[in-house]
Amino acid sequence: MKEKIDNLTLKEKAALLVGHSTMATLPIKEKGVKSVHLSDGPNGVRKTKKTKNALNSISKTMPSTCFPVGVTLCSTWNLPLIEKMGQALAKECINYDVNVLLGPAINIQRNPLCGRNFEYLSEDPYLAGMMGANLVKGIQSLNVGACIKHYACNNNETYRFVGDSILDKRALHEIYLKPFEIAVREASPCCVMTAYNRVNGVFASENKYLLDDRLRRTWKFDGLVMTDWGGIVHRDEALNNGCDLEMPGMNDYNIKLIYDAVKEGKVSEDTLDKSVRRILKVREKTDIKEIKSCDFDENYRLALNIACEGAVLLKNDKSILPLQKDKKYLVVGGLFKSMRYQGSGSSLLNPAIIKDHISAFNDNAVDYEFILGYDENKNDIDENLENEAFKKAEKYDDIIIFAGLNDYVESEGFDRDNMSLPDNQLSLIEKLATDGKHIVIVLFTGSPVELPFYDKVDSILNMMLPGEAGGEATYKLLFGEVSPCGKLSQTWPYKYEDFPFFKEFTSSPNELYKESIFVGYRYYSSCKKEVRFPFGYGLSYNEFEYSNMTVNRIKKDIKVTFDLQNKGKVDGKEVVQLYVGKRESAVVRPALELKAFTKVELKAGEKKTVNLSLSEDYLKVFVGDDFALENGEYQLYVGSSSEDIRLLSSVFVKGDVLKQSKYDKVYLSFLHGNGVKEEDFEEIVGKKIVRYIRGQRPYTLETPIDEFDTFFGKIFKKFVYKVGAKQYKKAEKIKDPLEREREKKAGLFIMKLMPKNSLRSMSFSSSGKFSYSLACGVLDLVNGHFFSGIRKMFKKYKIKEEKKK
């Protein structure tokens, strides 16, 4: 490899580190350098078709298996099953000549309103890390690379391009970096993708602390680091701090910047060669010599299995579920007719096979009548639709209502306005849920929603976003062919106002993580605050009995053993969860934290002995500048959820004596119902919080486009809005309903995403269509400098390379 690198010119090396097309690196055939081909994931292979318009690549994709989304995958809590999915994804990558799949996405579900929660795995770093690691293992078992993303603290969509995630070191390491650390240490992913946002003032793509200090030096990661699309800011600083590849590239300006930086001594050629070597190494590791077709039918069956295991039964009063086949049912809701099975944005897939609700019910001879009740793409109440449904419901005792969110309120590219279901659905459910009726709600949502009708319905089955086999999975679960066994990977509060600092979420590009380590159940359990559904919760058609807990030590490992018995009449699976707490501690801690889990399959009446193990390393807390193990007794809780603890024991661990700090005093007060003062937060994070001023002039390359308010700024802003609107209107004319919905979602994604973009990110993500020269020219125009703006638009960035001796 050294000989190959030495044979490259400086210009060729620079060009290798800037993407050559939307989804590939530069090939240099005469030097034996092949492209590294990339594909979006993470729940399917989104191999884009060739298109002149880079924005069309969002929806113009080859057929692939649409597996359930990240939150549904994680709700299976089934590590071997997720590894199988990784292998299936790898086979489809090989089918399409893809070297690296861009996934999994393992960011923390910090706030229930984040529009991309559906794609992320969990609010818990251990669960997200372990599930992500197993997906990586599966993908890479067939010599296809996996790229974990988005490193790090990418926890909202509104300001993802320009925002600054401001947080203390303990929260950073124990919560937000931990899934990435686990994935790197457990699975050695081929690649890591940086986030768009800043972390404590420094963009992730050039953040020395994240990339060099933690990722490369502490975790010993030697793979490829790439930007998210358009996520580069200062190309030379990114290289020096460990970010190798800019995507999608096709950017003469940044190629020249690298070239000049090396010539001027700002970047050493040794640093450049290390990054080039990493790209060549990725291609070498993933060199697919023989392209084989994959089995989409087999992958459909796997997607079906995952959808069944990931669905969570939230309520089942009077054991209404499973339903009986000898009854006739009234089925209500636009989401029955138009199944929501995947998320929208860069993960939008073209499913190779799809089984919707109508075909699943019809194929299995379910006796039912359907009435629309509401339009799934709207929020407003349609009284005519409601009255038709109410009149029809008078003839039925058993009603199945399909409800949930749609891609117009939950998607990549923007955050939700509230935690509510659409008004038309809430109104309909309220009117149908009358005394004497048996009401079953089937939900489709990638994140928690408020359930004001909870006490008025009998059963709630949350399918989340179940993938291409969603219709068949829903049928099997409703009618008892499969017993539900999914568990929530995120807490469901009663209402959004139960979330700490709920008013501050996306109130400014400066996002203050004032809750620190108290995310999700760590907050609710520590404050003893009631929630609708706790973390790890999920019902079954069975009851499981836990007994005979024992604890043993083998060097640094703690071994927990207990018996588990299926007391039900049908076969089933139970997710057993091991939590750890420390009641007597010098430092403030959550009441309990997940440290081990497994999924156990049991036949009716069967009993098994379950073994769980955890390393002392997972008991450490981040103190000062490193992790430390505190001396003393730790409580071990075995349960069916974070609140349903069945067995309790303890273990003594020899460690360090820790001292209380200002952080501990502030957050002990926080747990007792007090806020976090800004001056205390500033002291803890070690920086002064500068208030963001919206529309501040002069505008910069980082100013969100929707803040442009000058004459030319308004013109440019209007043009940007029209880009997505044009695609959306064009999509409405498409005859095929599946293609129409896919194109509409792509148009909406662009429409919502672009105004929050910056000129810099828009340029660097445009695959050369909106050049850096144009971006600088537009910036001058919107700042009122007409003539200099015009001149800059035509500036060329060319390299005059010296001939290699």
Side-chain angles (χ1 to χ4, degrees), residues 719-789:
F719 167 76
V720 167
Y721 279 123
K722 282 185 175 180
V723 173
K726 183 179 178 181
Q727 184 165 338
Y728 186 88
K729 289 179 180 178
K730 186 178 178 181
E732 289 182 315
K733 299 176 183 178
I734 297 173
K735 293 182 179 180
D736 180 78
L738 285 176
E739 185 183 357
R740 180 173 63 247
E741 282 305 305
R742 196 164 60 246
E743 292 294 321
K744 283 171 66 178
K745 290 172 184 177
L748 181 74
F749 168 65
I750 295 165
M751 225 177 355
K752 294 268 192 174
L753 183 79
M754 295 288 273
K756 293 295 183 183
N757 213 328
S758 68
L759 287 171
R760 184 264 311 162
S761 183
M762 182 183 291
S763 171
F764 292 163
S765 64
S766 70
S767 300
K769 303 296 182 186
F770 182 58
S771 69
Y772 185 74
S773 300
L774 276 174
C776 291
V778 169
L779 179 62
D780 271 15
L781 286 177
V782 300
N783 276 317
H785 308 305
F786 179 79
F787 294 108
S788 64

Side-chain angles (χ1 to χ4, degrees), residues 43 66-70 72-73 85 302-304 306-307 341 465-468:
N43 62 302
C66 180
F67 287 98
V69 300
T72 317
L73 300 179
M85 175 181 152
L302 177 59
L304 172 62
I306 295 169
Y341 59 94
L465 305 184
E468 67 182 29

